[in-house]
Amino acid sequence: MPENHTVAVIPGDGIGPEIIAEGRKVLDAAAHRYGFGIEWVEHDIGAERFLATKQLLTDDDLDSLSEVAAIYFGAIGDERVPPGILETGILLRLRFALDLYVNLRPVRLLPGVVTPLAGKRPEDIDFVVVRENTEDFYVGIGGRFRETDRRTLTVERELYELTFSVDAESDADEIAYQIGVISREGPERVIRYAFDLARRRRKKVTSVDKANVLTEVYGLWREVFTGVARGYPQVTSEFNFVDAVTMWFVKNPEWFDVVVTPNMFGDIITDLGAMIQGGLGLAPGGNINPDGTSMFEPIHGSAPKYRGLDVANPLATIWAGSMLLDHLGEHEAAEGVLTAIGKSVTAGVTTRDMGGAAGTRQVGDWIAKELAKR
Ligand code: IPM
Ligand code: MG
C-alpha cells in the first residue's frame, strides 16, 4: 500500500493562494511519480477570515493542525489589516503554539541561478541557517510608558543610571521597551539540532550572536553552545558576531556549513542569505518541531501588490514543498523536486524577478511536467 500523507494547507493572503496552488501541483506530481499519496486539508486562516469574523487562529484550527503530518503555508499580510496583527496572531502564534522551535533556512545557489556575488558558484554557496524560532525578542514582552502611567522608572546597570524627567505638557519623554528572553532549554535544543545536522554535512557549526553587547541573553546562548559543542568532537565550531557575519556571508559564503542563531538575528541574516542565493523569490524555510507537526513556507511575504497578476515567483514555495517531502521521509521525491526546480531555471522558465518572462502558473506547470517524465 503506498503511504498517504495528510498535509494541512494554509494559502493565506496576497500571492499566497497563487504560489501554494503551484506548490500543490508540483507536490501532487511528485507523489504520483514516486508512488505515495497526499491528502490536502485546506484552511481559510488569514486576512479574509479575520476581517469577516475577527478570528486569527482558533483552538479548533490548532487542534486540527497539530494532528496532520505537516503544514504547507503560503503567506499572510494584507493592506486592510494594520501591520503586526496577522503576523503575530497567525504566523508567530503557530510557531509558538506548535513549538516549531527550529526555523530551517537553506541558503543554496542552485545551478543556473544568478547570484549578485561576483565569481561565486553553486559549490561556494551551500549552507543552512538554523534559526531559533520561539524565544529572544520575539516573545512579545514589553510596554510603552508616558509620564501619566509612569511614576518612576529607573534603569540601573553597572554603567548607566537613567531616570526620565516628567513633563506633563509634552510626550517627548515617552519610552518603549521590549525584552529578549533566552531560556537554557531554548538554545540547547536548537543548537543540538544544528550539530546533528552538521554531522550529516560538512561538519562545521557557526554560532551567530552579539554576546559582546547583549551579554546576558547571548552570554547564556554561548554558554549552552559551548556545552553542546563538547558532545560533538568531530564537528568544528566557532562564534561570529552578527554584524561581522553579514560581511562574511557576502565575501566568503563558502566558509559556512551550518549557522545557528537566535530568533531575531536569524530573521535578519536569512533575508541576506536569500539574496545571495538568488533572491527572496527563491528562499524556502521549514518551521520544525522534531517531535510534532512541522510547517513549511516561502520566507517571503504576501506581496499584495502582485496578487492575482500571475507574476509571483513560485519557486520558494515549491522548494519549501521539497523540504516538506523530505521531512515526511519522501527523500527521493524531495530531491526530484529540487532537481526539477534547477532544470526549470536552466531552461529559462523563470518569473520576471529572475529575469524571465514566465508566469507563476507556467513555472509550476513546467516543473510538474518535468516530474511526470520517466
Ligand atoms: C520571517 C518573517 C516573519 C518573522 C514576520 C512576517 C513575522 O519575516 O518569517 O522571516 O519575522 O519571523
Ligand atoms: Mg523575515
Side-chain angles (χ1 to χ4, degrees):
M1 253 311 261
E3 193 161 0
N4 208 28
H5 305 285
T6 307
V7 177
V9 52
I10 304 175
D13 311 324
I15 57 171
E18 291 161 69
I19 53 178
I20 278 288
E22 300 317 305
R24 280 179 63 164
K25 187 187 284 174
V26 169
L27 265 50
D28 281 333
H32 188 73
R33 159 86 185 259
Y34 294 94
F36 58 93
I38 301 177
E39 194 193 320
W40 300 101
V41 184
E42 184 115 24
H43 287 260
D44 63 353
I45 296 162
E48 220 51 75
R49 187 180 83 175
F50 173 70
L51 289 167
T53 68
K54 291 281 162 287
Q55 287 175 325
L56 287 161
L57 205 56
T58 65
D59 292 342
D60 280 351
D61 292 333
L62 282 172
D63 283 348
S64 115
L65 290 170
S66 56
E67 273 163 21
V68 294
I71 304 166
Y72 201 21
F73 189 95
I76 44 135
D78 186 286
E79 66 280 19
R80 291 165 298 174
V81 183
I85 293 181
L86 300 166
E87 290 85 340
T88 52
I90 297 175
L91 183 57
L92 298 185
R93 173 108 196 280
L94 276 170
R95 289 177 182 169
F96 282 71
L98 300 175
D99 202 20
L100 308 174
Y101 65 84
V102 174
N103 196 328
L104 191 66
R105 298 188 161 180
V107 178
R108 179 167 163 192
L109 181 64
L110 296 181
V113 175
V114 178
T115 171
L117 302 188
K120 298 294 178 189
R121 301 147 306 166
E123 54 270 38
D124 299 321
I125 304 176
D126 181 10
F127 61 93
V128 183
V129 178
V130 175
R131 165 185 175 190
E132 201 290 322
N133 215 22
T134 58
E135 301 197 328
D136 200 32
F137 289 97
Y138 277 68
V139 294
I141 301 174
R144 285 172 71 153
F145 291 87
R146 298 275 298 273
E147 79 292 330
T148 42
D149 352 288
R150 170 169 52 84
R151 295 292 166 259
T152 48
L153 177 77
T154 315
V155 183
E156 282 183 72
R157 299 287 304 141
E158 293 94 294
L159 297 175
Y160 312 103
E161 178 163 332
L162 308 176
T163 37
F164 300 92
S165 64
V166 173
D167 174 0
E169 299 309 310
S170 114
D171 57 7
D173 65 340
E174 182 173 13
I175 67 152
Y177 75 98
Q178 198 141 4
I179 64 171
V181 175
I182 300 280
S183 69
R184 195 166 271 280
E185 194 205 358
E188 165 87 34
R189 56 188 189 171
V190 79
I191 290 169
R192 200 166 285 291
Y193 185 94
F195 273 90
D196 285 336
L197 182 62
R199 206 157 50 175
R200 304 193 300 274
R201 295 176 46 99
R202 300 193 306 276
K203 302 188 175 47
K204 180 174 177 190
V205 180
T206 306
S207 168
V208 172
D209 60 51
K210 188 76 187 170
N212 51 345
V213 175
L214 296 158
T215 50
E216 308 296 342
V217 281
Y218 303 138
L220 176 55
W221 171 278
R222 281 199 172 202
E223 213 174 291
V224 173
F225 183 91
T226 306
V228 174
R230 258 187 231 119
Y232 294 82
Q234 67 281 51
V235 177
T236 310
S237 60
E238 65 177 16
F239 291 111
N240 265 195
F241 293 130
V242 65
D243 46 350
V245 98
T246 61
M247 300 191 298
W248 305 133
F249 271 15
V250 171
K251 187 157 186 294
N252 296 104
E254 64 280 1
W255 285 354
F256 299 98
D257 179 21
V258 175
V259 173
V260 66
T261 186
N263 210 343
M264 177 84 141
F265 297 146
D267 177 45
I268 299 166
I269 66 175
T270 53
D271 271 18
L272 176 59
M275 272 304 141
I276 72 176
Q277 78 186 136
L280 214 45
L282 263 173
N287 298 268
I288 294 171
N289 175 343
D291 310 307
T293 303
S294 297
M295 178 168 91
F296 298 84
E297 54 167 345
I299 84 167
H300 62 68
S302 62
K305 70 176 175 194
Y306 298 124
R307 174 180 32 223
L309 301 179
D310 195 41
V311 298
N313 188 346
L315 290 187
T317 308
I318 296 172
W319 191 341
S322 160
M323 294 175 72
L324 186 154
L325 294 179
D326 202 47
H327 185 79
L328 295 178
E330 302 292 353
H331 307 298
E332 225 192 319
E335 205 46 52
V337 170
L338 208 52
T339 307
I341 292 176
K343 283 189 182 165
S344 73
V345 177
T346 313
V349 187
T350 55
T351 44
R352 65 185 193 196
D353 56 306
M354 292 179 69
T360 309
R361 281 193 296 271
Q362 211 182 331
V363 173
D365 286 343
W366 197 96
I367 295 173
K369 214 162 127 204
E370 179 62 30
L371 279 163
K373 281 188 196 158
R374 282 275 170 193

